[in-house]
Amino acid sequence: MHLFLTYTIFGLVLGGVYAIAASGLVLTYNTSGIFNFAHGAEAMLGAFLYWEVRYGWGVPTPLALILVLGVFGPLMGGLLYLVIMRGLRNTAEVTKVVVTVALMLGMLYLSEWFWNPQTDRTVVPFFGITSQVKILGADVTTHELIALGTAVLIGLGLRLFFYRLRIGVAMRGAVDDPGLLELNGHNPERIAALSWAMGSFLAVLAGVLLTPISGGALQANSLTLLVIDAFAAAVFGRLRSIPRTYIGALVLGLAASYVLAYSPKTWQWASNFRVSLPMIVLFVVLIVLPQDRLRGASVARTRERAHLPSVRSAVIAGAALVVVVVLLRQLMNDSDITTITLGMTFAVIALSLTLLTGYAGEMNLAAVSFGAIATMVSYHIGVTGHGLASRSTLWGIVVGVIVTAVVGAVVSLPALRLRGLYLGLATMAFGVFLTDMVLMDSNPHRIPLIHTKFSLFSGGAGINSLVIPPLRIGPLDLHDGTTFLVTATVVFAVLGIGLVALRNSSYGRRLTAMKDSPAASATLGQSLLRLKLSVFMLSAAVAGLGGVLMSMALGSVTPDNFSIFLSLSLLMLTVVAGISYVSGALMGGLLSGVGFALIVSTFHDLASRHGSVHGLFSFLASFATVTPALIGIGVGRNPSGSVHDFVDSYRSLRHRPRVLVGGGAVEAVLYVLSLTNVLGHWWFAILTSVLVMFLPLVGQMSDPARREQEAAAVPLELAGIDSPYSDGLRAELDRALGIEDLLPPERLARSRRNGRRSDGSGDRSMTEPLGAGVGDAGT
Amino acid sequence: MTAPVTDDGRPIEGGAEPILELVGVRAGYGAIEVLHGVDLVVPRGSLVALLGPNGGGKTTTLRVCSGLLRVASGELRVAGRTVNGAAAHDLARVGVCSVPEGRGIFPNLTVRENLWLATGTGVARDRVESVAFDRFPRLGERRNQLAGTMSGGEQQMLAIARALATEPVVLILDELSMGLAPLVVSALYETVAELASSGISVLVAEQFAKTVLPIAQSAAIMLHGRVVRVGEPAAVEEELASAYLGG
Ligand SMILES: Nc1ncnc2c1ncn2[C@@H]1O[C@H](COP(=O)(O)OP(=O)(O)O)[C@@H](O)[C@H]1O
Ligand SMILES: [Mg+2]
């Protein structure tokens, strides 16, 4: 009884802190439509800052609290809104997710930069550890009482705020219609900024309260993942209701506390289980939640755009990629090859995101975790031989990929009935669950009936890692680095071409229809569930394949190799590059597999070699770790991704073969110089990127048709009235109206022969039709 | 009490000065221009009907007038002052009250909370409630009901109650009739007529001219983002058919 009481109180306290965090999340989500993945990171920064002020600077507790809770928290939230979140209006859900994910990663790196994770930092409970009271015979620290009291006060305070204050009512109104709020004489910007300030305050408050309760030192990662506990609670309140969020948080806190109290000591996995509890609760809640209503009226026009390549050009690009990689291979040494191979396997994983997010508009925040499943399966059933002679078999990979697809179905099924964001949350919860629970399973269990010992993620003797040998299929042996690199590239190219073909098929069009308007797509008789499920399974399979290849490239993998943060940064970089493009996946994969690791290690090398400017270089190294996050945050400004801009800029070169040939010739010269060691490899890389970036510019400067293009700056509906009606203009109008889709092929061919633009039909733009405006030109 | 207006919309010498005025306004959504130079005048104290087929740009024009959409070029004037670029909430505070297309209410707030938000323009809460409940006793009965659960007509009453209570200088209404029974519509327009006769200037957009022309002092036809005809209601009515059919 005594034990029960103690743990009940502990559970309530824990639940109270979760509730504080979760209500902040619900608040900002409702007023701005942005689900803040950085919420836990804000709590983490707040906790670290509190430690710094209180113990680092030695400021007395009350003053430290005022500084951190009263000033830093609200200020951070308000600034985040004004600088970043405000720019996210009319962007797709994935863009919003990526920006906040980038923010989360950025804050995490920032904290590691400021506060070395190796140092232990403990926060003493308020009034000290010995300050306790007895409640019905159970000892409760004053800190815990304060936390519980604060949670109750916050709950009541929010209730009063939302129902008794006009600005609170206005905040609720902003959820429905910010425009109408403005017509009523309120400033929605100010209201949204206030809600972000409040949300951030609540996050920081939860962060400051939590650490002394759960005990131990401050840990950036686990505090950041507090967001998952918060969203399990928030999902319980359907991301809307704060009272229900409170109930969810209390259930969560109590459950965690009871597991801690009553699980037998022999269950080694119980502590892992406790960590994973929020994820499990999240899944259960997702299954129970009623289906979301489809809202047809609120189809938002988003700012994301993409061009769709034809299969033919995809084949050409794929072949070109393989040739380029083979050529580059000549310039590389062995360690470079391994790194590039790793990048290429990441690119394969990123392809799963192109399919799922770019084409179908759904989200997977744990792509790399799906790779872990395929890796485990292929380790357990697909390895032949011993020691250095051991090889993975094709059979193992095939079964691994199939199992991954099935697991993908199981994970996504409960969330697919709901809005896209829920799927994102479910996958993230799954990813964390996998690394916390499944991949930690290194101690052998005795399997009951067959009496053999077995553990999911261990190469034996309790070691928490797996050795994945290279693949051999007949004569093809990936033991050789070059063979592996070329094979990985070919796999990427083939899958990429497959994706483009898929996108061009009727299945692909259905996916796009679903992405643009689920409601309209459902009224056309599509089964959204079947469509979503199939695309998710397909994408999980691709991620699984990429994951096995990644594990092979690494040789030996630990749970860290499948960390959720890796999945998140891969998603982020792929969105930055252009999530709707296969080339975006290539760039995103290479960047996360190679790019930043290379830059950071280069700076670290430089720092250790040049003692005198050590500070500068290690600053640059730290800064480089934050850069990807900064780039990710910037995606709000350019949500279509950089590949999109790139494609746009090269589009203008299509009818300028001379510029292209010239550029190719220069590049060939560079290559030969580099091959013969006249030019250093770094110089080759730098000059090549300069060439690639500036070629479109060169093309534009020397373009005879430039004047015509400038004429096209006249609004389309006035073209032909305010500016001469030229062939180029007609092509432009055709494109805007989507006429290439409508004309029979023979007429299309004829008009293309006449037209100045001589590109392929795959050049269709998915830009929204300008039909409404253009119609006027005829009258 | 027909306001003296010439054919191109300018007030005749000696007529009431314009309270709301658009001069050569161009505006649109992103790269798409929807209004290609709109000229429109609402003289003080009169009710102007903006007519025209679907997609003509009426809603866009009203969004410009209320400050929700920016003027790309041209001028928006309120009481003679140019207010290009003013935020909608600032315009609301100087007396431009706008009821948007669809239902101008917050469906997930109660009737009382909706009215409370109407005080954003500076009126006292008590006053808003007493005016609204006096004029529409039905709203009083449903004061604590979620606005979104009321009938369409009641929702529209609530939207108009805001205009009644906040005593705006200009009232802008967009398709009050949308989706409502004819009887409800004529009741709503009776209220609008009362408001107009109490001295408030009104700009009403309607697709169905019959409902609004009888109470209007002047009418404008909007087609393809331009005002193509301005005149007395009776005169404009004759040309309407050709505006809808031809172009
Ligand atoms: N949010 C928007 N984005 C792009 N175009 C729009 C948007 N809203 C309206 N339009 C276009 O503007 C034109 C005028 O629309 P609107 O002002 O709503 O006309 P009306 O109210 O007279 O029916 C239409 O061609 C419509 O397609
Ligand atoms: Mg309209």
Side-chain angles (χ1 to χ4, degrees), chain A residues 704-718:
Chain A
R706 194 159 144 227
R707 292 238 306 285
E708 202 169 298
Q709 274 179 5
E710 268 164 19
V714 173
L716 269 189
E717 67 275 2
L718 294 181

Side-chain angles (χ1 to χ4, degrees), chain A residues 583-628:
Chain A
S583 42
L586 180 66
M587 204 164 123
L590 287 177
L591 278 179
S592 44
V594 187
F596 290 97
L598 210 64
I599 295 169
V600 173
S601 69
T602 309
F603 280 129
H604 275 304
D605 277 359
L606 286 172
S608 57
R609 244 181 286 154
H610 303 274
S612 54
V613 279
H614 179 275
L616 174 68
F617 281 124
S618 60
F619 169 82
L620 285 177
S622 303
F623 189 74
T625 57
V626 187
T627 345

Side-chain angles (χ1 to χ4, degrees), chain A residues 304-345:
Chain A
E304 287 79 359
R305 297 286 170 266
H307 305 290
L308 173 62
S310 66
V311 178
R312 213 189 64 181
S313 55
V315 171
I316 295 172
L321 174 69
V322 175
V323 170
V324 166
V325 167
V326 169
L327 286 178
L328 284 181
R329 155 72 192 90
Q330 315 304 322
L331 302 181
M332 291 189 275
N333 58 32
D334 286 352
S335 71
D336 289 345
I337 293 176
T338 316
T339 323
I340 303 281
T341 308
L342 189 62
M344 199 55 84
T345 60

Side-chain angles (χ1 to χ4, degrees), chain A residues 17-33:
Chain A
V17 177
Y18 290 162
I20 293 174
S23 51
L25 198 61
V26 172
L27 182 67
T28 47
Y29 177 64
N30 277 298
T31 47
S32 58

